[in-house]
């Protein structure tokens, strides 16, 4: 049973096959592998490489956006904690619920 190949392995195998078919053009024509067939495979290789580049950039952008989101959430949490602390100092405990504070003291 053959195991499923990952993207890089499949792309590498396709490049090897295309290069070998071009190098042995006359021999592979005899078994039905035409130049247009090889060109079609090379077009797939090129397209997939370009798509992979775009995908990797999107992954990097996502990591950047996630880090920015996380940093902003951390900042918001710090600011809310500071606001709660100040409200607890200046407002009577009976009114804390109005501010979303459920602590007793």
């Amino acid at each position: 049973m053959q195991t499923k190949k990952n993207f890089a392995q499949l792309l590498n195998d396709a490049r090897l096959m295309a290069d070998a078919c071009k190098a042995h053009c006359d021999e592979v024509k005899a078994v039905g592998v035409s130049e247009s067939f090889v060109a079609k495979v090379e077009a797939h290789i090129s397209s997939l490489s370009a798509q992979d580049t775009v995908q990797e950039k999107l992954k990097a952008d996502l990591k950047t956006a996630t880090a920015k989101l996380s940093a902003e959430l951390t900042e918001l949490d710090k600011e809310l904690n500071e606001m709660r602390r100040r409200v607890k100092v200046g407002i009577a405990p009976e009114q804390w619920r109005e501010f979303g504070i459920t602590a007793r003291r």
Side-chain angles (χ1 to χ4, degrees), residues 5 9-25 28 31 33-35 37-42 45:
K5 295 182 179 186
Q9 289 171 325
L10 187 58
L11 216 55
N12 187 49
D13 287 354
R15 282 188 185 112
L16 284 171
M17 180 65 75
D19 290 345
C21 285
K22 285 177 11 183
H24 300 278
C25 163
V28 293
V31 292
V33 179
S34 65
E35 290 174 12
F37 193 23
V38 174
K40 192 174 172 183
V41 168
E42 288 177 324
I45 293 167

Side-chain angles (χ1 to χ4, degrees), residues 1 8-9 17 26-27 29 31 33 35 52 55 58 62 66 72-75 81 84 90 96 99 101 103:
M1 184 167 118
Q9 289 171 325
M17 180 65 75
D26 293 332
E27 297 164 45
K29 273 186 188 176
V31 292
V33 179
E35 290 174 12
D52 185 51
Q55 185 181 43
L58 289 171
L62 177 60
T66 301
E72 194 164 341
L73 282 171
T74 299
E75 185 64 28
N81 285 335
R84 283 186 200 100
W96 287 359
F99 295 89
I101 301 171

Side-chain angles (χ1 to χ4, degrees), residues 47-61:
S47 174
L48 287 167
S49 292
Q51 290 177 57
D52 185 51
T53 300
V54 169
Q55 185 181 43
E56 291 303 321
K57 184 188 180 319
L58 289 171
K59 286 179 189 178
D61 290 347

